[in-house]
Amino acid sequence: MILILYPDIDKRGEDYRHLLEYLDALQGIRHRVHDVAGAQQTLTEIYLIGDTAALDVDDMQALPGVERVIRVSDAYRVLGRHRDDHRASEFHYNGITFSQDSFHVFAGLCAVDNPTNVERMFQALQQHGQSCARMGAYKPRTNPYSFQGHGKECLPWVFELAGKYGIRVIAMEITHDRHIREIEEALAQTGNPTGVMLQIGTRNTQNFELLKHVGRQTRFPVLLKRGFGITLEESLNAAEYLASEGNSQVIFALRGMKTNMGDPHRNFVDFAHVPVVKRLTRMPVCIDPSHSVGSRAASPEGIPDMLHVTAQGIVAGANMVLVDFHPDPAHALVDGPQALTLDELPWFLDDAALARETYLQRRERARRHRAERGR
Ligand code: PEP
Ligand code: MN
């Protein structure tokens, strides 16, 4: 059960004190307080965990400070979409809004290599009106002898270059909790020229200790990749780990599943799950066409499979696209074969905009259909 308190409730006031005293006295029920900072106000939600079936919704609603009560199903308590649950799902980070209605492209280098390539990438993004990017500094590699990423050494100049070209948010994978501190330090050292969205990769989707660490900080939003060999439910539970620790600013990324049925793509493309995740949870949904498809192969009409699947995901309502580009893919240190080139960026963005427009028209059509039938 979730108790939603009146906005900006005074935590030192009488109402709040009485409410907590009442909750403390409930047998077999624990509670956890979550503050959800919005653009205008802070919402406080109290999650009741345990034997809540016996609690009466009307009684709870009558408690001091409580505006609304939501009875939740067991799974995805924080991030889930529950019956009669109309809570907004959006969050704001460094001037950018993320929600199940928003749309952003995060194009960039799978792995940071040198300042020239990073600068060329950011410059191209700025030229095409983009304010988000992807940049990998910590790379989890299958082979221990492969390039592991420049790590914290590259962070200061990557952040400075991002700031120079107006990039507000960089999606950056971390594989250890100390990387959060390293990112914080590099941002402080360079005067916070940009923002970071912490990415948890598919190999770490069920690294529960990492999830708990990342969930306990609320400075950075999180991009959680679906695990490549586990069920969707297991991956959504991993997202819930972040939220249950306190950070519900989570975007869920589909990036394909490991199965031979995926041949000839690197992974079996799972973007049909975009609307499913939006239905089950309130998280914005990201698609990663690069790690799903894994190559620049194109169909006979000349459209790369990566553009095809990107369009498919966006037409189905994706809120974010994470995609690999590189100024010189032949010399990229990681995942060169799947990187698009800078001269393909305007084409990619145009194609994505076309698909987004189609999605918005489809959504409007669905709204009219429901309105005509009075639903
Ligand atoms: C990546 O985005 O660079 C990456 C390693 O992705 P994934 O975790 O989906 O393999
Ligand atoms: Mn990669």
Side-chain angles (χ1 to χ4, degrees), residues 110 134 139 173 199 201-203 225 255 288 291 322:
C110 180
R134 66 157 296 163
K139 300 305 301 177
E173 177 164 1
Q199 180 178 323
T202 196
R203 289 157 192 81
K225 295 256 193 128
R255 49 82 70 208
D288 175 345
H291 292 82
L322 185 77

Side-chain angles (χ1 to χ4, degrees), residues 230-277:
I230 55 177
T231 63
L232 180 64
E233 188 186 349
E234 286 163 335
S235 290
L236 295 177
N237 268 300
E240 186 71 13
Y241 258 91
L242 296 161
S244 73
E245 293 293 332
N247 191 338
S248 48
Q249 306 199 335
V250 184
I251 297 179
F252 189 80
L254 298 169
R255 49 82 70 208
M257 303 295 292
K258 222 178 220 335
T259 151
N260 284 342
M261 289 189 299
D263 293 348
H265 291 154
R266 182 173 174 182
N267 286 290
F268 194 81
V269 182
D270 55 351
F271 299 169
H273 289 179
V274 168
V276 178
V277 177

